[in-house]
Amino acid sequence: STLGQVPQALAQQVSSPSREDFLALARQGWVYEVRTARHQRDTGASVQFNSTEAALGPLCVFGDHPHAQSKRILRIFSDLLSDIYGHRLAITYAPGPINNCPDRQRIYLRLYSGRAPDRRFNADLQHLDREFDIGFPRGWSEPVRSPGQVNGFFGRRGSTAHLLINQPPRGDLSELQQKYHASLLIEELFQAISFGADILKFERATPFLSKLQEIPVNLRALPWASESFMAGLLTSTPGALCGFDVFMLHALAGANLRNTNSPALLRFIETHFEQLRDETLQTLSNPGYTSVLDGECLAVPG
């Protein structure tokens, strides 16, 4: 049977989510009103969430020299996307400032270690404004608000995403550090490629079903590098991708919509649910993806 091919962690899960659970999550995370808190000029740019374009890249990794764990996650993530979309994610490594990247990248990923790089982050955004004509007002800037964040922009000369990820420090890592930094990178990569929105989860008693689900926690007073902050963040969301997230990648690839932020995506999922479930189980059975999957939330509807 198909179930016999999936990881043991999945086979041991007694209760599986329902088809309705998956459809509700897809509705919450992928069909939403676009809002922005930024004050920018009206560029007349159309806002379209095309996950196929994002999954193919190109992606430029710049900033601090990539940690071995960062490179491994990027490689595995690219393998996963190749399996689902049929083409590898085109990745360029260009350590240093953003202008070392080739022009007009679909995704820019700044890796940094240590303190939040507020000045370099804003220099990145000004560079993207010049490249894509996003329309930021003169003198505009904003602080780094999280150790892992993604910002999407839609300018006159195309759309792009900027990821800012705190990667592991040099030297030996604790298990907590490994899981924490992996979680940051996996979540933002998935969000940048899928265009999924954060999904607040208030019921602590029910299991997580998606990496985009977040239980609200108050960590504002804690330093980002502290064990308390890292442990707190890891309890608020799955450590890696869930079965639903892989299901959604298959749905986004299969629907092949120019704009995935649409009820048409939900209609595609409803019509092709069993096929998408079987494709998801096949992908989950690949042991090469274990490092980007959370073994506690891999279950899919039966």
Side-chain angles (χ1 to χ4, degrees):
S1 69
T2 308
L3 183 60
Q5 301 170 11
V6 301
Q8 191 65 27
L10 174 55
Q12 290 175 345
Q13 295 188 50
V14 178
S15 60
S16 294
S18 68
R19 175 187 178 118
E20 289 68 30
D21 290 332
F22 270 31
L23 288 170
L25 280 176
R27 188 176 297 107
Q28 287 177 275
W30 277 266
V31 182
Y32 53 85
E33 181 181 349
V34 180
R35 296 188 181 94
T36 177
R38 292 187 178 84
H39 301 288
Q40 59 191 79
R41 301 186 308 272
D42 181 10
T43 62
S46 63
V47 178
Q48 290 192 330
F49 297 82
N50 189 331
S51 73
T52 302
E53 286 184 358
L56 300 183
L59 180 155
C60 181
V61 183
F62 67 103
D64 290 357
H65 190 78
H67 190 279
Q69 175 172 283
S70 304
K71 293 191 76 170
R72 183 172 66 255
I73 290 173
L74 283 163
R75 175 181 56 79
I76 296 171
F77 211 93
S78 181
D79 290 343
L80 175 67
L81 294 176
S82 177
D83 184 3
I84 294 173
Y85 283 86
H87 298 278
R88 292 192 66 77
L89 179 64
I91 302 176
T92 298
Y93 286 92
I98 193 171
N99 55 16
N100 285 344
C101 290
D103 293 342
R104 305 279 181 83
Q105 299 291 282
R106 185 62 188 76
I107 302 173
Y108 292 83
L109 168 55
R110 175 182 279 281
L111 296 172
Y112 75 95
S113 304
R115 296 181 62 181
D118 288 276
R119 181 178 57 80
R120 285 169 287 167
F121 170 60
N122 281 283
D124 292 349
L125 300 190
Q126 295 304 319
H127 176 86
L128 296 183
D129 193 14
R130 293 189 294 271
E131 287 281 303
F132 294 91
D133 193 8
I134 298 167
F136 295 139
R138 188 185 300 275
W140 174 86
S141 68
E142 70 174 65
V144 174
R145 303 180 187 280
S146 169
Q149 61 183 53
V150 57
N151 291 279
F153 303 105
F154 302 87
R156 286 186 184 276
R157 292 193 287 270
S159 59
T160 189
H162 182 280
L163 283 72
L164 183 66
I165 304 294
N166 184 210
Q167 66 171 355
R170 302 297 170 187
D172 295 334
L173 301 176
S174 66
E175 183 178 357
L176 175 62
Q177 287 175 309
Q178 291 178 33
K179 289 182 177 179
Y180 166 76
H181 288 285
S183 177
L184 291 179
L185 181 53
I186 291 168
E187 178 173 351
E188 304 309 331
L189 279 171
F190 176 63
Q191 198 154 26
I193 285 165
S194 73
F195 294 105
D198 292 334
I199 302 172
L200 287 179
K201 180 178 182 295
F202 298 100
E203 311 83 7
R204 288 183 174 271
T206 60
F208 283 112
L209 296 179
S210 173
K211 186 71 175 93
L212 297 187
Q213 288 181 299
E214 294 182 359
I215 293 175
V217 291
N218 186 1
L219 306 174
R220 292 180 183 177
L222 300 174
W224 292 349
S226 68
E227 290 190 356
S228 297
F229 182 90
M230 290 189 285
L233 202 66
L234 283 173
T235 62
S236 70
T237 183
L241 299 181
C242 297
F244 169 79
D245 302 322
V246 176
F247 175 93
M248 279 306 303
L249 288 174
H250 277 289
L252 293 164
N256 196 27
L257 296 168
R258 286 185 60 84
N259 185 17
T260 51
N261 182 25
S262 163
L265 177 62
L266 297 178
R267 291 194 293 271
F268 177 84
I269 293 173
E270 288 183 302
T271 303
H272 299 86
F273 195 93
E274 287 73 21
Q275 176 188 341
L276 294 170
R277 179 196 58 207
D278 292 346
E279 291 171 348
T280 299
L281 288 169
Q282 188 63 37
T283 300
L284 294 176
S285 72
N286 188 328
Y289 302 144
T290 302
S291 297
V292 298
L293 300 175
D294 186 327
E296 296 186 7
C297 62
L298 295 182
V300 298

Coordinates of all heavy atoms in Angstrom, one line a residue, residues 174-250:
S174 N 24.6 23.4 19.5 CA 23.7 22.6 20.3 C 22.5 22.1 19.5 O 22.3 22.6 18.4 CB 23.2 23.3 21.5 OG 22.3 24.4 21.1
E175 N 21.8 21.1 19.9 CA 20.7 20.6 19.2 C 19.6 21.7 19.1 O 19.0 21.8 18.0 CB 20.1 19.3 19.9 CG 18.9 18.7 19.2 CD 18.4 17.5 19.9 OE1 18.9 17.1 20.9 OE2 17.4 16.9 19.4
L176 N 19.5 22.5 20.1 CA 18.5 23.6 20.1 C 18.9 24.6 19.0 O 18.0 25.0 18.2 CB 18.5 24.3 21.4 CG 17.6 25.5 21.5 CD1 16.1 25.2 21.3 CD2 17.8 26.2 22.9
Q177 N 20.2 24.9 18.9 CA 20.6 25.9 17.8 C 20.3 25.3 16.4 O 19.9 26.0 15.5 CB 22.1 26.2 18.0 CG 22.4 27.1 19.2 CD 23.9 27.3 19.3 OE1 24.7 26.3 19.4 NE2 24.3 28.5 19.4
Q178 N 20.7 24.0 16.3 CA 20.5 23.4 14.9 C 19.0 23.5 14.5 O 18.7 23.9 13.4 CB 20.9 22.0 15.0 CG 22.4 21.8 15.1 CD 22.8 20.3 15.2 OE1 22.2 19.5 14.6 NE2 23.9 20.0 16.0
K179 N 18.1 23.1 15.4 CA 16.7 23.1 15.1 C 16.1 24.5 14.9 O 15.3 24.7 14.0 CB 15.9 22.4 16.2 CG 16.2 20.9 16.3 CD 15.3 20.2 17.4 CE 15.5 18.7 17.5 NZ 14.7 18.1 18.6
Y180 N 16.6 25.4 15.7 CA 16.1 26.8 15.6 C 16.4 27.4 14.3 O 15.6 28.0 13.6 CB 16.6 27.6 16.8 CG 16.5 29.1 16.7 CD1 15.3 29.7 16.9 CD2 17.6 29.9 16.4 CE1 15.1 31.1 16.8 CE2 17.5 31.2 16.3 CZ 16.2 31.8 16.5 OH 16.1 33.2 16.4
H181 N 17.7 27.4 13.9 CA 18.1 28.0 12.7 C 17.6 27.3 11.5 O 17.3 27.9 10.5 CB 19.7 28.1 12.7 CG 20.2 29.1 13.6 ND1 20.2 30.5 13.4 CD2 20.8 28.9 14.8 CE1 20.7 31.1 14.5 NE2 21.1 30.2 15.3
A182 N 17.5 26.0 11.5 CA 16.9 25.3 10.4 C 15.4 25.7 10.2 O 14.9 25.9 9.1 CB 17.0 23.7 10.7
S183 N 14.7 25.8 11.4 CA 13.3 26.2 11.3 C 13.1 27.6 10.7 O 12.2 27.7 9.8 CB 12.7 26.2 12.7 OG 11.4 26.6 12.8
L184 N 14.0 28.5 11.0 CA 13.9 29.9 10.4 C 14.0 29.8 8.9 O 13.2 30.4 8.2 CB 15.0 30.8 11.0 CG 14.9 31.2 12.4 CD1 16.1 32.1 12.7 CD2 13.6 31.9 12.7
L185 N 15.0 29.1 8.4 CA 15.3 29.1 7.0 C 14.2 28.3 6.2 O 13.7 28.8 5.2 CB 16.7 28.5 6.7 CG 17.1 28.4 5.3 CD1 17.0 29.7 4.5 CD2 18.5 27.8 5.2
I186 N 13.8 27.2 6.8 CA 12.8 26.4 6.1 C 11.4 27.1 6.0 O 10.8 27.1 4.9 CB 12.6 25.0 6.8 CG1 13.8 24.2 6.7 CG2 11.3 24.3 6.3 CD1 13.8 22.9 7.6
E187 N 11.1 27.8 7.1 CA 9.8 28.5 7.1 C 9.8 29.6 6.0 O 8.8 29.8 5.2 CB 9.5 29.1 8.4 CG 8.2 29.9 8.5 CD 7.8 30.4 9.9 OE1 8.4 29.9 10.8 OE2 6.8 31.2 10.0
E188 N 10.8 30.5 6.0 CA 10.8 31.6 5.1 C 11.0 31.2 3.6 O 10.4 31.8 2.7 CB 11.9 32.6 5.5 CG 11.8 33.1 6.9 CD 10.5 33.6 7.3 OE1 9.7 34.1 6.5 OE2 10.1 33.5 8.5
L189 N 11.8 30.1 3.4 CA 11.8 29.6 2.0 C 10.5 29.1 1.5 O 10.0 29.4 0.4 CB 12.8 28.4 1.9 CG 14.3 28.8 1.8 CD1 15.1 27.5 2.0 CD2 14.6 29.4 0.5
F190 N 9.8 28.4 2.4 CA 8.5 27.9 2.0 C 7.5 29.0 1.8 O 6.7 29.0 0.8 CB 8.0 26.9 3.1 CG 6.6 26.4 2.9 CD1 6.3 25.6 1.8 CD2 5.5 26.8 3.7 CE1 5.0 25.2 1.6 CE2 4.2 26.3 3.5 CZ 4.0 25.5 2.4
Q191 N 7.6 30.0 2.6 CA 6.6 31.1 2.5 C 6.9 31.9 1.3 O 6.0 32.4 0.5 CB 6.7 32.0 3.7 CG 5.5 32.9 3.9 CD 5.2 33.3 5.4 OE1 6.2 33.3 6.2 NE2 4.0 33.6 5.7
A192 N 8.2 32.2 1.0 CA 8.5 32.9 -0.2 C 8.1 32.2 -1.5 O 7.7 32.9 -2.5 CB 10.0 33.2 -0.2
I193 N 8.2 30.9 -1.5 CA 7.9 30.2 -2.8 C 6.4 29.9 -2.9 O 5.9 29.9 -4.0 CB 8.8 28.9 -2.8 CG1 10.2 29.2 -3.1 CG2 8.2 27.9 -3.8 CD1 11.2 28.2 -2.9
S194 N 5.8 29.6 -1.8 CA 4.4 29.3 -1.9 C 3.4 30.5 -1.8 O 2.2 30.3 -2.2 CB 4.0 28.3 -0.8 OG 3.9 29.0 0.5
F195 N 3.9 31.6 -1.3 CA 3.1 32.8 -1.1 C 2.0 32.5 0.0 O 1.0 33.2 0.0 CB 2.4 33.3 -2.4 CG 3.4 33.8 -3.4 CD1 3.7 33.1 -4.5 CD2 4.0 35.1 -3.2 CE1 4.5 33.6 -5.5 CE2 4.8 35.5 -4.2 CZ 5.1 34.8 -5.3
G196 N 2.3 31.6 0.8 CA 1.3 31.3 1.9 C 1.4 32.4 3.0 O 2.5 32.9 3.3
A197 N 0.3 32.7 3.7 CA 0.3 33.7 4.7 C 0.4 32.9 6.1 O 0.0 31.8 6.2 CB -1.0 34.5 4.7
D198 N 0.8 33.7 7.1 CA 0.9 33.1 8.5 C -0.6 32.8 8.9 O -1.5 33.5 8.6 CB 1.4 34.1 9.5 CG 2.9 34.4 9.2 OD1 3.6 33.5 8.7 OD2 3.4 35.5 9.6
I199 N -0.7 31.6 9.6 CA -2.0 31.2 10.1 C -1.9 31.1 11.6 O -1.2 30.2 12.2 CB -2.4 29.8 9.5 CG1 -2.4 29.9 7.9 CG2 -3.7 29.3 10.0 CD1 -2.5 28.5 7.3
L200 N -2.6 32.0 12.3 CA -2.6 31.9 13.7 C -3.4 30.7 14.3 O -4.4 30.3 13.7 CB -3.3 33.2 14.3 CG -2.5 34.5 14.2 CD1 -3.2 35.7 14.8 CD2 -1.1 34.3 15.0
K201 N -2.8 30.1 15.3 CA -3.4 28.9 15.9 C -3.5 29.1 17.4 O -2.5 29.4 18.1 CB -2.5 27.7 15.6 CG -3.0 26.4 16.2 CD -2.0 25.3 15.8 CE -2.5 23.9 16.3 NZ -2.5 23.8 17.7
F202 N -4.7 29.1 17.9 CA -5.0 29.4 19.3 C -5.2 28.1 20.1 O -5.2 28.2 21.4 CB -6.2 30.3 19.4 CG -5.9 31.6 18.8 CD1 -6.5 31.9 17.5 CD2 -5.1 32.6 19.4 CE1 -6.3 33.1 16.9 CE2 -4.9 33.8 18.8 CZ -5.5 34.1 17.5
E203 N -5.5 27.0 19.5 CA -5.8 25.7 20.2 C -4.5 25.0 20.4 O -4.1 24.3 19.5 CB -6.8 24.9 19.5 CG -8.1 25.6 19.0 CD -7.9 26.3 17.7 OE1 -6.8 26.1 17.1 OE2 -8.8 27.0 17.3
R204 N -4.0 25.1 21.6 CA -2.7 24.3 21.9 C -2.9 22.8 22.0 O -1.9 22.1 21.8 CB -2.1 24.8 23.2 CG -1.5 26.3 23.1 CD -0.9 26.7 24.4 NE -0.2 28.0 24.3 CZ 1.1 28.1 23.9 NH1 1.8 27.1 23.6 NH2 1.6 29.3 23.8
A205 N -4.1 22.4 22.2 CA -4.3 21.0 22.4 C -4.4 20.2 21.1 O -4.1 19.0 21.0 CB -5.6 20.7 23.1
T206 N -4.6 20.9 20.0 CA -4.7 20.2 18.7 C -3.3 20.2 18.0 O -2.5 21.2 18.2 CB -5.7 20.9 17.7 OG1 -5.3 22.3 17.6 CG2 -7.1 20.9 18.3
P207 N -3.0 19.2 17.2 CA -1.7 19.1 16.6 C -1.5 20.2 15.5 O -2.5 20.6 14.9 CB -1.6 17.7 16.1 CG -3.0 17.3 15.9 CD -3.8 18.0 16.9
F208 N -0.2 20.5 15.3 CA 0.1 21.4 14.1 C -0.1 20.6 12.8 O 0.1 19.4 12.8 CB 1.5 21.8 14.2 CG 1.9 22.9 15.1 CD1 2.6 22.6 16.3 CD2 1.4 24.2 14.9 CE1 2.9 23.6 17.2 CE2 1.7 25.2 15.8 CZ 2.5 24.9 17.0
L209 N -0.6 21.3 11.8 CA -0.7 20.7 10.5 C 0.1 21.4 9.4 O 0.2 20.9 8.3 CB -2.2 20.7 10.1 CG -3.2 19.9 10.9 CD1 -4.6 20.1 10.3 CD2 -2.8 18.4 10.9
S210 N 0.6 22.6 9.7 CA 1.4 23.3 8.7 C 2.5 24.2 9.4 O 2.3 24.6 10.5 CB 0.5 24.3 8.0 OG 1.2 25.2 7.1
K211 N 3.6 24.3 8.7 CA 4.7 25.2 9.1 C 4.2 26.7 9.3 O 4.8 27.4 10.0 CB 5.9 25.1 8.1 CG 7.1 25.9 8.6 CD 7.8 25.2 9.8 CE 9.1 25.8 10.2 NZ 8.9 26.8 11.3
L212 N 3.2 27.0 8.5 CA 2.7 28.4 8.6 C 1.8 28.7 9.8 O 1.5 29.8 10.0 CB 1.9 28.8 7.3 CG 2.8 28.7 6.0 CD1 2.0 29.2 4.8 CD2 4.1 29.5 6.2
Q213 N 1.4 27.7 10.5 CA 0.6 27.9 11.7 C 1.5 28.4 12.8 O 2.7 27.9 13.0 CB 0.0 26.6 12.2 CG -1.2 26.1 11.3 CD -1.8 24.8 11.8 OE1 -1.2 23.8 11.9 NE2 -3.1 24.9 12.2
E214 N 1.0 29.4 13.6 CA 1.8 29.9 14.7 C 0.9 30.1 15.9 O -0.2 30.7 15.8 CB 2.4 31.3 14.3 CG 3.4 31.2 13.2 CD 4.0 32.6 12.9 OE1 3.6 33.6 13.5 OE2 4.9 32.7 12.0
I215 N 1.4 29.6 17.0 CA 0.7 29.9 18.3 C 1.3 31.2 18.8 O 2.6 31.3 18.9 CB 1.0 28.8 19.3 CG1 0.2 27.5 18.8 CG2 0.5 29.2 20.7 CD1 0.5 26.3 19.7
P216 N 0.5 32.2 19.2 CA 1.1 33.5 19.7 C 1.9 33.3 20.9 O 1.4 32.7 21.9 CB -0.2 34.4 19.9 CG -1.2 33.7 19.0 CD -0.9 32.3 19.0
V217 N 3.1 33.8 21.0 CA 3.9 33.8 22.2 C 4.6 35.1 22.3 O 4.9 35.8 21.3 CB 5.0 32.7 22.1 CG1 4.4 31.3 22.2 CG2 5.9 32.8 20.8
N218 N 4.8 35.6 23.5 CA 5.4 36.9 23.8 C 6.9 36.7 24.1 O 7.2 36.3 25.2 CB 4.7 37.6 24.9 CG 5.2 39.0 25.2 OD1 6.1 39.4 24.5 ND2 4.6 39.7 26.1
L219 N 7.8 36.9 23.2 CA 9.2 36.8 23.3 C 9.9 38.1 23.2 O 11.2 38.1 23.0 CB 9.7 35.8 22.3 CG 9.1 34.4 22.3 CD1 9.6 33.6 21.1 CD2 9.3 33.6 23.6
R220 N 9.2 39.2 23.2 CA 9.8 40.5 22.9 C 11.0 40.9 23.8 O 11.9 41.6 23.3 CB 8.7 41.6 22.9 CG 7.7 41.4 21.9 CD 6.6 42.5 22.0 NE 5.6 42.4 21.0 CZ 4.5 43.2 20.9 NH1 4.4 44.2 21.8 NH2 3.6 43.0 20.0
A221 N 11.0 40.5 25.0 CA 12.0 41.0 26.0 C 13.3 40.1 25.9 O 14.3 40.4 26.6 CB 11.5 41.0 27.4
L222 N 13.2 39.0 25.1 CA 14.3 38.1 25.1 C 15.3 38.3 23.9 O 14.8 38.6 22.8 CB 13.8 36.6 25.0 CG 12.9 36.2 26.1 CD1 12.3 34.8 25.8 CD2 13.6 36.2 27.5
P223 N 16.6 38.3 24.2 CA 17.6 38.3 23.1 C 17.4 37.2 22.1 O 17.1 36.0 22.5 CB 18.9 38.3 23.8 CG 18.6 38.6 25.2 CD 17.3 38.1 25.5
W224 N 17.5 37.4 20.8 CA 17.3 36.4 19.8 C 18.2 35.2 19.9 O 17.8 34.1 19.6 CB 17.4 37.0 18.4 CG 16.3 38.0 18.1 CD1 15.1 38.2 18.8 CD2 16.2 38.8 17.0 NE1 14.3 39.1 18.2 CE2 15.0 39.6 17.1 CE3 17.0 39.1 15.9 CZ2 14.6 40.5 16.1 CZ3 16.6 40.0 14.9 CH2 15.4 40.7 15.1
A225 N 19.4 35.4 20.4 CA 20.4 34.4 20.5 C 20.2 33.6 21.8 O 21.0 32.6 22.0 CB 21.8 34.9 20.4
S226 N 19.3 34.0 22.7 CA 19.2 33.3 24.0 C 18.4 31.9 23.8 O 17.6 31.8 22.9 CB 18.4 34.2 25.0 OG 17.0 34.3 24.6
E227 N 18.7 31.0 24.7 CA 18.1 29.7 24.7 C 16.6 29.8 24.9 O 15.8 29.1 24.3 CB 18.7 28.8 25.7 CG 20.1 28.3 25.4 CD 20.6 27.2 26.3 OE1 19.9 26.8 27.2 OE2 21.7 26.7 26.0
S228 N 16.2 30.8 25.7 CA 14.8 31.0 26.0 C 14.0 31.4 24.8 O 12.9 30.9 24.5 CB 14.6 32.0 27.1 OG 15.1 31.6 28.3
F229 N 14.6 32.3 24.0 CA 14.0 32.8 22.8 C 13.9 31.6 21.8 O 12.8 31.4 21.2 CB 14.7 34.0 22.2 CG 14.1 34.5 20.9 CD1 13.1 35.5 21.0 CD2 14.4 34.0 19.7 CE1 12.5 36.0 19.9 CE2 13.8 34.5 18.5 CZ 12.8 35.5 18.6
M230 N 15.0 30.9 21.6 CA 15.0 29.9 20.6 C 14.0 28.8 20.9 O 13.2 28.3 20.1 CB 16.4 29.3 20.4 CG 17.4 30.2 19.8 SD 19.0 29.5 19.4 CE 19.7 29.4 21.0
A231 N 14.0 28.4 22.2 CA 13.0 27.3 22.6 C 11.6 27.8 22.5 O 10.7 27.1 22.1 CB 13.3 26.9 24.1
G232 N 11.4 29.1 22.9 CA 10.0 29.6 22.8 C 9.5 29.7 21.4 O 8.3 29.3 21.1
L233 N 10.4 30.1 20.4 CA 9.9 30.1 19.0 C 9.6 28.8 18.5 O 8.7 28.6 17.7 CB 11.0 30.8 18.2 CG 10.5 31.5 16.9 CD1 9.6 32.6 17.1 CD2 11.7 31.9 16.0
L234 N 10.4 27.8 18.9 CA 10.2 26.4 18.4 C 9.0 25.8 18.9 O 8.4 24.9 18.3 CB 11.4 25.5 18.8 CG 12.7 25.7 17.9 CD1 13.9 24.9 18.5 CD2 12.4 25.3 16.5
T235 N 8.5 26.3 20.1 CA 7.2 25.7 20.6 C 6.0 26.4 19.9 O 4.9 25.9 20.0 CB 7.0 25.9 22.1 OG1 7.0 27.3 22.4 CG2 8.2 25.3 22.8
S236 N 6.2 27.5 19.2 CA 5.1 28.2 18.6 C 4.8 27.8 17.2 O 3.7 28.2 16.6 CB 5.4 29.7 18.5 OG 6.5 30.0 17.6
T237 N 5.6 26.9 16.6 CA 5.4 26.5 15.2 C 6.1 25.2 15.0 O 7.1 24.9 15.7 CB 5.9 27.6 14.2 OG1 5.7 27.2 12.9 CG2 7.4 27.8 14.4
P238 N 5.7 24.4 14.0 CA 6.5 23.2 13.7 C 7.9 23.5 13.3 O 8.2 24.6 12.9 CB 5.8 22.6 12.5 CG 4.4 23.1 12.6 CD 4.5 24.5 13.1
G239 N 8.8 22.6 13.6 CA 10.2 22.8 13.3 C 10.6 22.7 11.8 O 11.7 23.2 11.4
A240 N 9.7 22.1 11.0 CA 10.0 22.0 9.6 C 8.7 21.8 8.9 O 7.6 22.1 9.4 CB 11.0 20.9 9.3
L241 N 8.7 21.4 7.6 CA 7.5 21.3 6.8 C 6.7 20.1 7.3 O 7.2 19.1 7.7 CB 7.8 21.0 5.3 CG 8.6 22.1 4.6 CD1 8.9 21.7 3.2 CD2 7.9 23.5 4.7
C242 N 5.3 20.3 7.2 CA 4.4 19.2 7.5 C 3.9 18.6 6.3 O 4.1 19.1 5.2 CB 3.2 19.8 8.3 SG 3.6 20.6 9.9
G243 N 3.1 17.5 6.4 CA 2.5 16.9 5.3 C 1.6 17.8 4.5 O 1.6 17.8 3.2
F244 N 0.9 18.6 5.1 CA 0.0 19.6 4.4 C 0.9 20.6 3.6 O 0.4 20.9 2.5 CB -0.8 20.4 5.4 CG -1.5 21.6 4.8 CD1 -2.7 21.4 4.1 CD2 -0.9 22.9 4.9 CE1 -3.3 22.5 3.5 CE2 -1.6 24.0 4.4 CZ -2.8 23.8 3.7
D245 N 2.0 21.0 4.0 CA 2.9 21.9 3.3 C 3.3 21.3 2.0 O 3.4 21.9 0.9 CB 4.0 22.4 4.1 CG 3.6 23.0 5.4 OD1 2.6 23.7 5.4 OD2 4.2 22.8 6.4
V246 N 3.7 20.0 2.0 CA 4.1 19.3 0.8 C 2.9 19.1 -0.1 O 3.0 19.3 -1.3 CB 4.8 17.9 1.2 CG1 5.1 17.1 -0.1 CG2 6.0 18.1 2.0
F247 N 1.8 18.9 0.5 CA 0.5 18.8 -0.3 C 0.3 20.1 -1.0 O -0.1 20.1 -2.2 CB -0.6 18.4 0.7 CG -2.0 18.4 0.1 CD1 -2.5 17.2 -0.4 CD2 -2.8 19.6 0.0 CE1 -3.8 17.2 -1.0 CE2 -4.0 19.6 -0.6 CZ -4.6 18.4 -1.0
M248 N 0.5 21.2 -0.3 CA 0.2 22.5 -1.0 C 1.2 22.8 -2.1 O 0.8 23.4 -3.1 CB 0.2 23.6 0.1 CG -1.0 23.8 0.9 SD -2.5 24.0 -0.1 CE -2.1 25.4 -1.1
L249 N 2.4 22.4 -1.9 CA 3.4 22.6 -3.0 C 3.0 21.8 -4.3 O 3.0 22.3 -5.4 CB 4.8 22.1 -2.6 CG 5.5 23.1 -1.6 CD1 6.8 22.4 -1.1 CD2 5.8 24.4 -2.2
H250 N 2.5 20.6 -4.1 CA 1.9 19.8 -5.2 C 0.7 20.5 -5.8 O 0.6 20.5 -7.0 CB 1.6 18.4 -4.7 CG 2.7 17.4 -4.7 ND1 3.3 17.0 -5.8 CD2 3.4 16.9 -3.6 CE1 4.3 16.2 -5.5 NE2 4.4 16.1 -4.2

